[in-house]
Amino acid sequence: MPDLKDSLLLGSLLSFILSFAFLAKNNSLSSLFLFVSGILVYSYGALLDDFLNVWDERYHALVAKNMIDHPFKPMLYADPVLDQEYSGWFKGHVWLHKQPLFMWQMALSMKLFGANLYAMRLPGVIMSSLTVVALFRSGSLLFNRKLGFIAATLMLSSVYWLDLVSGRGQTDQNDVAFIAYISLSCWAFIEYYTSGKKSWILWIGVFSGAAILCKWLVGLLVYAVWGLYSLAVGKARYREWKNMALSLCITIAVFLPWQIYTSQQFPKEFEEEQAHNLEHLFKPLDHNHNTTVFYHYDQISNNLNIIHPLILIVGLLLFFFTRKNRTLNRALAGAYVLQFLFFSLALSKMPSFTLAGWFVAILAIAYGCYCLLQFVCMLPVLNKYRNLGVGLVALLLILTRFSVSDIEKHHEITEDFGHAKAMTHNKKLLSNLKLEKDFVLFNVGGLHIVDAMFYTGVPVYNNYPGPDQVVELKLKNRKIAVLEGKEELPAYILNDSEIKIIKGFTYVNE
């Protein structure tokens, strides 16, 4: 009998085949089955790691869990019981390190379905699936359904994106929602361009504002597309500037209230985070940052699951010089290049930064695949098999890009000590503690205090409490629990019958 993950993959493949079957006849059904295929394959991704991942997912998950009861006060330490400094994104009380929308989505999901890992990742599953449909629809509008289907296939077969949904990739659900909203804003602009309906101006503004409310101002990318497009349309540019200004007002109305609210309610934390955001441009921050200008170029193959960055470059060039919808395609390609140069010149770098242009990159690669297919089908013997050729291209993309065995190996728990084994050990220990709300837990190693707070629901600290802290907590009518750890505990803890000593230790695996 296949297990749940195998069943999800099989169901996703069947839905994908059904989408292809309806490709020529029913656009709505084809889109629907692509959405279902996305829900199933990304649910598979959400189940790959049965623990909170480092670095970022555990922070996002804990803050989102605390938002269930306090949606407008994002907190890491929801119960800062000890008299100590709570500042910075590593050990803060109020946590403004990320914008709130994606965590609100996670909080709502956990409120509805319980504070479990799948519920926490479910909004990412849904946002990813909507991006698949947006790519299909946009490719169909710009070129035809065949190209749209290839673009959707590229998205569905992306192992890098699957890692984001699973929480293993940096920065997990934050980037999933951020990139998805940017993609939806670009899709809305393509709908506006092709239909002329002004209702899409509203949706462009809403989606762009939502992107900013997930991460920050790169969510304005659609306006780079719109601005470049407006510069090239001659007499119509003034109309476009006016419509763009209206849409931008909607974007501002979406994201600005939270900035005003937090600046007034949490001025110290707000000022610190705004300064921290600005520092990303001028100095390498946090961890694993490489300051070479070619860092993001070197990441292209891994991020987009392609053999060489030249595949993207050729796709963008073909996209730029195509005749159909030339002005818009050039604006899309130009916006991608602008954001890529921006992040290449900024001194702080992380693997997913240039995925702000994911939507355009996927469309460009899809167009390159489609051009290659068209070239091959120029042969008379193959010309009548053009429609079948799209299916063969899609199948080839899945077989060469999506290796189930490699994915499972990347996420498996081995006998040897490693990330998965350490995190699984910690989760099993911590989630089985069942501590009452008045407990405070000590001697949890490293930054695993964060996942420990998610699993236990009580305040958690490194090391063991000092004598003064023991007195402080007793005066506050709080109970103390201490993990035994690997080293002998101090006598004042061992001899205190009111302190609960728990057998076990946490691996420190940062």
Side-chain angles (χ1 to χ4, degrees):
M1 289 286 292
D3 64 13
L4 176 58
K5 288 190 287 187
D6 290 339
S7 298
L8 289 170
L9 287 177
L10 180 60
S12 179
L13 180 59
L14 290 174
S15 295
F16 182 77
I17 292 170
L18 286 170
S19 175
F20 178 71
F22 285 105
L23 186 61
K25 299 177 181 178
N26 192 314
N27 190 49
S28 296
L29 278 177
S30 192
S31 297
L32 175 62
F33 282 115
L34 279 174
F35 180 76
V36 172
S37 182
I39 290 290
L40 295 173
V41 75
Y42 296 125
S43 291
Y44 164 79
L47 296 174
L48 282 170
D49 286 338
D50 190 27
F51 48 79
L52 289 172
N53 271 294
V54 297
W55 275 71
D56 299 273
E57 186 184 46
R58 56 187 173 188
Y59 284 89
H60 303 154
L62 177 59
V63 176
K65 185 181 179 183
N66 291 332
M67 279 180 162
I68 295 173
D69 296 319
H70 305 281
F72 300 115
K73 187 178 182 181
M75 296 177 287
L76 195 66
Y77 269 92
D79 182 13
V81 64
L82 284 181
D83 183 16
Q84 68 172 35
E85 180 70 21
Y86 296 94
S87 63
W89 73 273
F90 284 100
K91 294 184 180 180
H93 169 43
V94 172
W95 201 81
L96 300 182
H97 189 59
K98 293 288 195 304
Q99 294 286 307
L101 178 57
F102 78 104
M103 292 183 291
W104 281 336
Q105 293 175 169
M106 293 159 65
L108 176 60
S109 180
M110 288 189 283
K111 184 176 180 63
L112 293 174
F113 305 111
N116 59 76
L117 297 182
Y118 180 75
M120 181 268 292
R121 294 167 181 158
L122 179 59
V125 171
I126 296 171
M127 295 300 297
S128 302
S129 305
L130 289 173
T131 306
V132 171
V133 177
L135 282 164
F136 172 68
R137 175 67 177 167
S138 298
S140 301
L141 290 172
L142 289 174
F143 300 98
N144 54 52
R145 293 182 194 177
K146 298 171 188 176
L147 187 138
F149 190 78
I150 294 172
T153 304
L154 286 165
M155 172 83 185
L156 287 168
S157 61
S158 170
V159 176
Y160 190 89
W161 192 280
L162 204 68
D163 254 8
L164 292 177
V165 175
S166 75
R168 186 72 70 98
Q170 299 174 349
T171 53
D172 57 272
Q173 314 307 322
N174 176 243
D175 271 331
V176 169
F178 178 60
I179 299 164
Y181 279 120
I182 290 177
S183 299
L184 290 172
S185 69
C186 291
W187 158 67
F189 180 71
I190 293 170
E191 292 280 3
Y192 160 77
Y193 164 83
T194 54
S195 70
K197 293 181 179 178
K198 293 198 173 181
S199 58
W200 288 107
I201 295 173
L202 167 67
W203 288 111
I204 296 167
V206 168
F207 289 138
S208 178
I212 295 171
L213 265 183
C214 286
K215 201 155 191 174
W216 200 219
L217 294 177
V218 182
L220 294 168
L221 184 67
V222 67
Y223 295 108
V225 178
W226 206 338
L228 291 172
Y229 171 76
S230 299
L231 290 173
V233 293
K235 294 181 179 179
R237 76 176 54 154
Y238 299 106
R239 179 196 66 204
E240 293 303 328
W241 288 125
K242 182 181 70 173
N243 289 340
M244 184 167 64
L246 174 59
S247 182
L248 185 58
C249 288
I250 296 168
T251 294
I252 294 170
V254 170
F255 83 85
L256 188 60
W258 178 254
Q259 318 313 316
I260 296 172
Y261 170 76
T262 51
S263 67
Q264 298 300 310
Q265 293 294 314
F266 319 111
K268 177 176 176 289
E269 292 84 358
F270 179 84
E271 184 177 341
E272 287 175 353
E273 287 303 334
Q274 293 305 309
H276 185 75
N277 285 337
L278 190 60
E279 282 184 323
H280 281 83
L281 297 175
F282 307 111
K283 63 173 69 171
L285 299 177
D286 301 330
H287 58 91
N288 293 333
H289 294 295
N290 184 328
T291 56
T292 174
V293 73
F294 295 106
Y295 174 85
H296 289 298
Y297 176 82
D298 294 334
Q299 292 292 316
I300 288 174
S301 295
N302 182 56
N303 286 3
L304 296 170
N305 300 122
I306 54 180
I307 298 172
H308 196 278
L310 283 175
I311 293 175
L312 173 61
I313 294 171
V314 170
L316 286 169
L317 288 171
L318 290 170
F319 203 66
F320 188 85
F321 289 109
T322 183
R323 292 182 179 179
K324 189 174 183 181
N325 299 313
R326 174 178 290 183
T327 303
L328 177 54
N329 291 336
R330 288 186 171 183
L332 288 164
Y336 179 86
V337 172
L338 285 175
Q339 64 89 33
F340 194 90
L341 290 174
F342 171 80
F343 284 117
S344 294
L345 294 173
L347 291 187
S348 287
K349 293 176 172 66
M350 289 182 70
S352 295
F353 276 0
T354 58
L355 291 189
W358 172 270
F359 180 83
V360 179
I362 294 297
L363 285 175
I365 296 170
Y367 186 61
C369 293
Y370 181 73
C371 288
L372 180 60
L373 174 64
Q374 292 293 92
F375 178 77
V376 171
C377 287
M378 288 175 64
L379 296 172
V381 69
L382 297 177
N383 186 53
K384 60 182 178 180
Y385 298 111
R386 286 176 183 267
N387 291 337
L388 180 60
V390 174
L392 291 175
V393 168
L395 179 61
L396 184 63
L397 289 173
I398 292 171
L399 292 175
T400 57
R401 289 162 50 84
F402 195 94
S403 170
V404 176
S405 60
D406 287 348
I407 293 168
E408 297 282 355
K409 185 176 181 180
H410 180 52
H411 290 269
E412 73 178 341
I413 302 171
T414 62
E415 290 299 320
D416 298 329
F417 178 82
H419 171 78
K421 186 173 183 179
M423 301 304 288
T424 301
H425 165 89
N426 291 353
K427 180 197 173 185
K428 183 178 180 181
L429 170 67
L430 296 166
S431 59
N432 287 331
L433 293 184
K434 310 301 181 189
L435 297 172
E436 288 127 14
K437 292 294 183 183
D438 56 351
F439 265 98
V440 182
L441 178 63
F442 287 89
N443 208 26
V444 173
L447 295 178
H448 295 294
I449 54 175
V450 178
D451 22 314
M453 283 191 279
F454 181 89
Y455 295 134
T456 64
V458 303
V460 181
Y461 298 90
N462 297 131
N463 305 316
Y464 37 78
D468 293 341
Q469 291 175 324
V470 172
V471 173
E472 178 186 349
L473 290 170
K474 287 182 177 181
L475 289 173
K476 293 178 178 178
N477 295 315
R478 302 301 291 266
K479 298 175 183 176
I480 300 171
V482 180
L483 282 184
E484 188 177 48
K486 293 183 177 181
E487 299 179 4
E488 186 175 352
L489 294 170
Y492 69 87
I493 290 178
L494 293 171
N495 297 330
D496 191 331
S497 59
E498 294 181 9
I499 295 178
K500 182 177 182 177
I501 299 175
I502 302 168
K503 288 188 177 297
F505 65 92
T506 53
Y507 286 114
V508 179
N509 184 46
E510 309 297 0

